[in-house]
């Protein structure tokens, strides 16, 4: 039960959940939650790899890895709990969005929402400890960092949304920011998959922003056909899911395949030394035994070190998924009259 609950607030869940929110007509909410989780993922994983505090030692703690995802997560450091941090930020913002949409929301309604959010957050924290993934300190720290990041986001979210929807040179700015964030990441004491998760949502954020800029050029209206209204029936929405989910998954696969062929070719043409830990078999031997931290491989005062081409492949893979969710799939909906 705890394993399933924790999967609800995992990064793979939000990768599929956020496009569904966008297709339901709540485009601003989808934009904000996507950028927020990218922000939280970067801050949370950076703190993990800076502190490099291990998870509870097993044994004596019994670690319950019910899924392959949990086994991979167990390779990360423990402090703070990303699940608790993301739960506070994303469910907190989700609640804030709908409460502010209803000006007639009473104090009792707000209190009930806060109680439910607090209960679910505590349940997630207990689950992470029960599964042997975190200590009490990790969980409390995750909740505290989540509250601080949510408070920060609520002060800037309108400015961020205004910039990505009405600003100038937004795509070029975000491309530069995404490139910078791939380098400005701490090197952990030992290799962990944290940087991979950051790269994935870094790509998702860039695909979202670039896609929004492209749709604005075609003057797509905001918040059209909202779910549970006369404009968008449940039957039509289910049709969107049947079309949209497979489409973005196919786009993700195609983006990865194109990046696997294109990036090594470009790097070799530009004489950029590269290596691969998993995506390009012929380059795997070059990366054997080397640290996985981005700065460890990119910055140094000795001989030039190879760049991990997997970072670029993963970035483009998830950027393609996000771009298709906000550009290609809505165009397909229009064509199919969904």
């Amino acid at each position: 039960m705890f394993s399933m609950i924790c999967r609800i607030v995992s990064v793979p869940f939000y990768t599929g959940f956020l496009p569904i929110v966008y297709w339901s007509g709540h485009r601003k909410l989808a934009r904000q939650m996507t950028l927020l989780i990218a922000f939280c993922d970067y801050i949370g994983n950076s703190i993990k790899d800076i502190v490099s505090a291990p998870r509870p030692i097993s044994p004596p703690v019994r670690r319950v890895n019910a899924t392959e995802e949990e086994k991979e997560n167990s390779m990360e450091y423990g402090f703070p709990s990303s699940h608790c941090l993301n739960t506070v930020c994303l469910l907190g913002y989700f609640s804030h969005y709908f409460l502010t949409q209803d000006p007639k929301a009473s104090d009792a309604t707000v209190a009930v929402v806060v109680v439910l959010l607090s209960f679910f957050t505590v349940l997630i924290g207990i689950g992470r400890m029960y599964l042997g993934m975190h200590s009490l300190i990790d969980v409390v720290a995750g909740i505290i960092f989540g509250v601080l990041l949510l408070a920060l986001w609520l002060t800037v979210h309108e400015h961020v949304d205004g910039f990505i929807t009405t600003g100038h040179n937004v795509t070029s700015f975000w491309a530069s920011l995404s490139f910078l964030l791939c380098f400005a990441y701490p090197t952990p004491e030992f290799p962990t998959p944290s940087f991979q998760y950051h790269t994935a949502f870094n790509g998702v954020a860039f695909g979202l922003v670039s896609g929004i800029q492209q749709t604005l050029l075609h003057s797509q209206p905001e918040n059209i056909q909202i779910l549970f209204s006369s404009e968008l029936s449940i039957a039509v929405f289910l049709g969107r899911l049947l079309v949209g989910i497979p489409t973005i998954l196919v786009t993700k696969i195609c983006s990865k395949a194109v990046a696997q062929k294109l990036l090594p070719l470009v790097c070799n043409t530009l004489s950029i030394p590269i290596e691969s830990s998993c995506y390009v078999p012929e380059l795997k031997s070059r990366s054997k035994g080397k640290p996985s931290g981005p700065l460890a491989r990119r910055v140094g005062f000795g001989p030039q070190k190879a760049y991990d081409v997997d970072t670029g492949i993963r970035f483009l893979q998830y950027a393609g998924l996000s771009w298709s969710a906000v550009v290609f799939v809505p165009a397909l909906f229009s064509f199919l009259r969904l």
Side-chain angles (χ1 to χ4, degrees), residues 299-310:
V299 180
F301 297 98
Q304 186 177 11
K305 297 181 180 181
Y307 292 79
D308 188 358
V309 72
D310 290 0

Side-chain angles (χ1 to χ4, degrees), residues 34-48:
T34 301
L35 297 181
L36 177 56
I37 193 174
F39 175 60
C40 292
D41 190 71
Y42 175 75
I43 298 297
N45 287 341
S46 294
I47 296 174
K48 278 188 176 184

Side-chain angles (χ1 to χ4, degrees), residues 21-294:
V21 175
Y22 191 86
W23 301 334
S24 72
H26 295 282
R27 295 179 176 177
K28 180 178 180 180
L29 175 62
R31 292 194 301 261
Q32 288 295 302
M33 291 189 68
T34 301
L35 297 181
L36 177 56
I37 193 174
F39 175 60
C40 292
D41 190 71
Y42 175 75
I43 298 297
N45 287 341
S46 294
I47 296 174
K48 278 188 176 184
D49 285 348
I50 289 174
V51 178
S52 294
R55 294 188 183 275
I57 299 175
S58 175
V61 171
R62 183 188 176 200
R63 185 160 295 142
V64 183
N65 293 325
T67 64
E68 290 298 324
E69 179 188 338
E70 287 290 351
K71 292 179 181 179
E72 187 175 9
N73 286 340
S74 65
M75 298 171 61
E76 291 185 294
Y77 288 108
F79 180 92
S81 169
S82 297
H83 281 74
C84 291
L85 189 156
N86 291 339
T87 299
V88 172
C89 285
L90 296 169
L91 292 187
Y93 186 82
F94 192 85
S95 303
H96 171 269
Y97 175 84
F98 283 104
L99 288 175
T100 54
Q101 293 294 308
D102 182 11
K104 297 181 180 180
S106 64
D107 293 339
T109 302
V110 175
V112 170
V113 170
V114 172
V115 169
L116 291 177
L117 176 60
S118 301
F119 172 77
F120 190 74
T121 302
V122 171
L123 188 64
I124 291 294
I126 294 174
R128 300 310 287 167
M129 291 187 288
Y130 176 85
L131 296 173
M133 300 295 284
H134 288 289
S135 67
L136 178 61
I137 295 176
D138 300 337
V139 169
V140 172
I143 295 174
I144 292 174
F145 280 121
V147 171
L148 294 176
L149 292 179
L150 176 61
L152 174 62
W153 189 258
L154 290 178
T155 63
V156 302
H157 70 114
E158 292 292 352
H159 302 288
V160 173
D161 195 68
F163 173 70
I164 65 174
T165 55
T166 62
H168 301 287
N169 302 317
V170 177
T171 302
S172 57
F173 169 81
W174 213 274
S176 302
L177 177 62
S178 300
F179 183 79
L180 175 63
L181 291 178
C182 284
F183 283 82
Y185 188 87
T187 302
E189 184 177 0
F190 297 103
T192 74
S194 296
F195 179 67
Q196 300 174 14
Y197 300 147
H198 155 63
T199 302
F201 252 94
N202 191 13
V204 168
F206 174 72
L208 172 83
V209 172
S210 60
I212 289 171
Q213 288 295 300
Q214 185 169 350
T215 58
L216 290 175
L217 293 176
H218 297 87
S219 300
Q220 282 195 8
E222 181 75 4
N223 284 343
I224 59 172
Q225 297 182 323
I226 298 178
L227 185 61
F228 302 126
S229 70
S230 59
E231 300 170 332
L232 180 59
S233 66
I234 294 180
V236 173
F237 180 67
L238 292 177
R240 288 186 174 188
L241 298 186
L242 292 175
V243 172
I245 295 296
T247 301
I248 64 173
L249 292 178
V250 170
T251 305
K252 177 185 174 183
I253 295 172
C254 294
S255 299
K256 179 180 178 181
V258 171
Q260 283 177 302
K261 298 295 183 182
L262 184 62
L263 278 183
L265 178 62
V266 172
C267 292
N268 289 331
T269 302
L270 299 176
S271 299
I272 299 175
I274 57 175
E275 62 190 24
S276 173
S277 55
C278 60
Y279 286 156
V280 186
E282 57 269 24
L283 298 177
K284 282 186 178 181
S285 59
R286 304 184 190 181
S287 60
K288 189 175 182 180
K290 294 187 177 182
S292 65

